Amino acid sequence: MFSKNTEKLESFIGANSTFKGDIETKGTLRIDGIVDGNIVADWVVLCEKSHVKGDITARGVVVGGRVDGNIKAKEIVEIKNKGQLSGEIFTGKLVVVEGGVFDGRSRMHHEQSGKIIEFQSLDKAKQG
């Protein structure tokens, strides 16, 4: 479930829990229950039975449950085979596994490397 880039699990909302209000935490937040509010964390992992009604801001988000809201992730959003997302995504990388549901709009951002690549015209390439 966790990649080598994921911080250690530091916060957890259990399967029989309902949380109303905004959450802001460092590290990884795992959600098995219901959250009605916005989330800000380093990484957010939503398990199959989870449901978030609100926006999520993180470095990375794994959606295994349901999200009704927008996600802004600096690195990656991954929607697993039983994951459902209704809302907008703004991220650098988007993965939707077969069976995952995404109903909304996505916008991708790319890191600017500052590198300039010059291409030769076809005529110059044939001459050289």
Side-chain angles (χ1 to χ4, degrees), residues 39-102:
I39 298 169
V40 177
D42 292 325
W43 287 86
V44 178
V45 178
L46 303 165
C47 295
E48 285 184 18
K49 307 252 186 221
S50 67
H51 186 185
V52 173
K53 300 175 215 169
D55 296 339
I56 300 172
T57 303
R59 281 178 42 206
V61 179
V62 177
V63 179
R66 180 174 175 178
V67 176
D68 293 315
N70 304 320
I71 296 178
K72 183 175 183 182
K74 191 174 191 176
E75 295 179 20
I76 186 169
V77 173
E78 182 176 356
I79 301 173
K80 296 290 195 180
N81 63 337
K82 294 189 179 180
Q84 300 176 22
L85 172 65
S86 295
E88 294 186 10
I89 297 174
F90 183 69
T91 187
K93 187 187 296 185
L94 173 61
V95 177
V96 181
V97 176
E98 183 178 356
V101 176
F102 172 45

Side-chain angles (χ1 to χ4, degrees), residues 2-17:
F2 297 104
S3 70
K4 61 183 174 185
N5 294 332
T6 308
E7 303 292 326
K8 67 180 182 171
L9 178 64
E10 294 181 343
S11 301
F12 179 77
I13 296 176
N16 297 319
S17 300

Side-chain angles (χ1 to χ4, degrees), residues 100-117:
V101 176
F102 172 45
D103 182 16
R105 188 173 76 174
S106 67
R107 295 186 320 179
M108 307 298 284
H109 66 83
H110 301 283
E111 297 289 326
Q112 297 295 328
S113 64
K115 295 180 183 177
I116 298 174
I117 301 172

